[in-house]
Amino acid sequence: MQKTKKNEELFRSMPVAQAILALAVPTVVSQIITIIYNMADTFFIGQLGDPKQVAAATLAMPLFMFMTALSNLFGVGGASLISRFLGAGEREKASRCSAFCIWTAALIAAIYGALVLLSRPVLMPVLGANEETFGMASSYLFWTIGLGALPTVMNPALAHLIRAEGYSKQASFGVAFGGILNMVLDPVFIYGLRLQITGAAVATLLSNSIALLYFLAFIWKIRKNSVLTLSPKNYTLGEHIPAEVISVGLPSFLISMMGTVSNLVLNHIIAGYSNVAVAGMGIAKKLNMLAFAVGQGITQGTLPLIGYNYTSGNKKRMLDAIRTLFVFSLAVALFIAVLLYTQADSVSRLFINDSETVAYGRRFLHIICSASPMTTMTFFALTVFQATGKKRQPIILSMLRKGTVDVPFMILFNHLFGIRGVAWATPVAEIVSLMVAAIMVIPYIRELTS
């Protein structure tokens, strides 16, 4: 009960900057560790000195990103609704919402894993695999998605739900624990057992499974004082809970889903040049995901604070949280963009000691890291809309980024400027998205202040 009161104090009375840091810092840390352990596969595979294996892992990334989309659908959507139910004092509805999110996400993840497992022969050519990468990419998908979809989807989804009740540190610990464990197991399976890219996939499966056990144990531990529940008895398709969760979580789902589409097109275009180019782009994209993760971590970490105070009617505190979030997220995004640009060669070389691959990675990273401040500001707008229960605006913004605007630019710029032009599609698409986001969110914030 004491912990519950402390969490309520965080949402109601703690200084806004301190509350944002309390929620966002653990979220950012967990996001960074998640990205680092996603990078770990590429890093340890890269130490084998074989660009084809790095390319195979890169080709699998779009299907891996779809699992992030599922996590966001039920994790972000559920966290927003739970925080608003708590702000309104409706704990029973919050509990039923958590049961719906947990069990529905688990079922869909299991179905997705089975579908990928059965359809790999058809999927491989679609992903851009050729004779050199087909078998390696197929093996990687078997372990990470075919068998690993359930824990991979549920870990971040549960972290979002736990964070909605104020347990930000515990949520972040679970994500970090899985990431660190993956980094420990990677060299054991890749080098020690000589499984190479398959070893990286097995390590990912095991680490995610163990982290899932932590989250389930934590929810069971706090069950007497928490609205989160694993009981199927609380599962419901009524009270508009499914529609509300999906409508609020849909923008975050679409961001990752359209990212999957974007990466499929990107891999197909880059694969037309060489496997080395695919490996270089894969390294650049993984590194740029650091900026993506920080921006998403700060904004999504603050979402429950905005949502709680919006529902409880504390307009001043809600607006203070929005303003502080804007300053924090922009400053951090600019810092990371500069860091990635200036250190592009060094960090690319960390992944593989192959001069041609490093050259591609450096050139690509110089271009795409420039998009990170725009991406973060778009996330800021999305969070304001999601936290206050808006549905139409976040969906529009989500559809204007990856997979729509950038795809025609990829095709056009590839035709006009070659391989470097393909990378420029990312910042151009983000500029378009940010312009639309500004047009939508600025009047809305003014509306909230009135």
Side-chain angles (χ1 to χ4, degrees), residues 50-57 59 124 128-139 196-197 271 273-278:
D50 183 2
K52 293 191 294 293
Q53 295 199 52
V54 177
L59 293 173
M124 290 299 100
N130 55 27
E131 291 181 0
E132 294 181 319
T133 56
F134 188 102
M136 292 181 288
S138 179
S139 174
Q196 300 190 7
I197 188 173
Y273 289 91
S274 68
N275 284 327
V276 175
V278 174

Side-chain angles (χ1 to χ4, degrees), residues 72-360:
N72 288 339
L73 180 63
F74 297 102
V76 175
S80 174
L81 187 55
I82 287 171
S83 66
R84 282 182 281 137
F85 278 146
L86 291 175
E90 298 177 313
R91 292 181 64 85
E92 290 185 4
K93 285 187 177 180
S95 184
R96 289 192 286 273
C97 176
S98 73
F100 166 77
C101 293
I102 291 170
W103 286 102
T104 307
L107 176 62
I108 294 177
I111 293 172
Y112 176 66
L115 289 175
V116 171
L117 191 65
L118 295 173
S119 59
R120 281 178 299 153
V122 177
L123 284 173
M124 290 299 100
V126 175
L127 293 172
N130 55 27
E131 291 181 0
E132 294 181 319
T133 56
F134 188 102
M136 292 181 288
S138 179
S139 174
Y140 191 78
L141 287 177
F142 174 85
W143 294 98
T144 58
I145 300 179
L147 300 183
L150 180 63
T152 302
V153 169
M154 294 308 297
N155 284 343
L158 292 177
H160 282 301
L161 298 180
I162 289 170
R163 197 175 289 117
E165 221 178 357
Y167 295 100
S168 188
K169 291 181 181 179
Q170 292 84 349
S172 300
F173 173 81
V175 175
F177 172 65
I180 293 170
L181 184 60
N182 187 71
M183 288 184 278
V184 171
L185 293 178
D186 260 345
V188 174
F189 285 91
I190 294 173
Y191 313 131
L193 298 179
R194 300 181 180 181
L195 294 176
Q196 300 190 7
I197 188 173
T198 300
V202 174
T204 298
L205 169 63
L206 289 176
S207 59
N208 282 336
S209 299
I210 294 172
L212 176 58
L213 293 177
Y214 160 80
F215 280 118
L216 295 176
F218 179 74
I219 292 174
W220 180 258
K221 178 183 177 181
I222 64 172
R223 67 190 184 280
K224 293 182 179 179
N225 298 318
S226 172
V227 298
L228 302 181
T229 177
L230 300 173
S231 174
K233 293 180 180 179
N234 285 48
Y235 187 90
T236 181
L237 295 175
E239 301 179 280
H240 304 290
I241 286 174
E244 191 70 18
V245 168
I246 292 172
S247 62
V248 175
L250 187 60
S252 296
F253 170 84
L254 288 174
I255 287 175
S256 296
M257 183 60 196
M258 300 312 291
T260 300
V261 175
S262 175
N263 274 275
L264 281 170
V265 175
L266 177 65
N267 287 343
H268 259 292
I269 294 174
I270 299 295
Y273 289 91
S274 68
N275 284 327
V276 175
V278 174
M281 179 59 83
I283 289 171
K285 296 287 277 187
K286 284 288 181 73
L287 288 167
N288 192 58
M289 284 173 67
L290 273 174
F292 184 94
V294 172
Q296 194 172 46
I298 293 174
T299 53
Q300 289 187 354
T302 310
L303 185 149
L305 179 66
I306 298 172
Y308 185 100
N309 286 281
Y310 173 78
T311 306
S312 64
N314 193 339
K315 181 184 291 187
K316 181 181 182 302
R317 185 170 175 81
M318 176 196 69
L319 293 172
D320 285 346
I322 291 173
R323 283 190 289 266
T324 307
L325 173 62
F326 177 85
V327 175
F328 280 4
S329 55
L330 180 59
V332 173
L334 288 170
F335 172 77
I336 292 178
V338 172
L339 184 66
L340 288 176
Y341 187 90
T342 56
Q343 301 300 315
D345 187 83
S346 302
V347 292
S348 296
R349 199 173 298 278
L350 286 174
F351 285 86
I352 188 168
N353 188 24
D354 179 82
S355 58
E356 188 179 0
T357 306
V358 170
Y360 274 119

Side-chain angles (χ1 to χ4, degrees), residues 384-420:
V384 172
F385 288 126
Q386 287 178 303
T388 54
K390 295 295 180 181
K391 302 172 181 63
R392 179 175 56 86
Q393 297 94 328
I395 291 173
I396 293 172
L397 293 179
S398 302
M399 294 296 290
L400 280 177
R401 296 181 63 255
K402 300 289 187 180
T404 51
V405 176
D406 66 335
V407 169
F409 279 123
M410 281 184 208
I411 297 170
L412 177 63
F413 289 176
N414 180 52
H415 177 71
L416 295 176
F417 311 114
I419 194 169
R420 288 174 66 89

Side-chain angles (χ1 to χ4, degrees), residues 48-72:
L48 296 169
D50 183 2
K52 293 191 294 293
Q53 295 199 52
V54 177
T58 300
L59 293 173
M61 190 162 64
L63 295 184
F64 207 89
M65 289 176 65
F66 182 75
M67 293 190 291
T68 302
L70 289 176
S71 299
N72 288 339

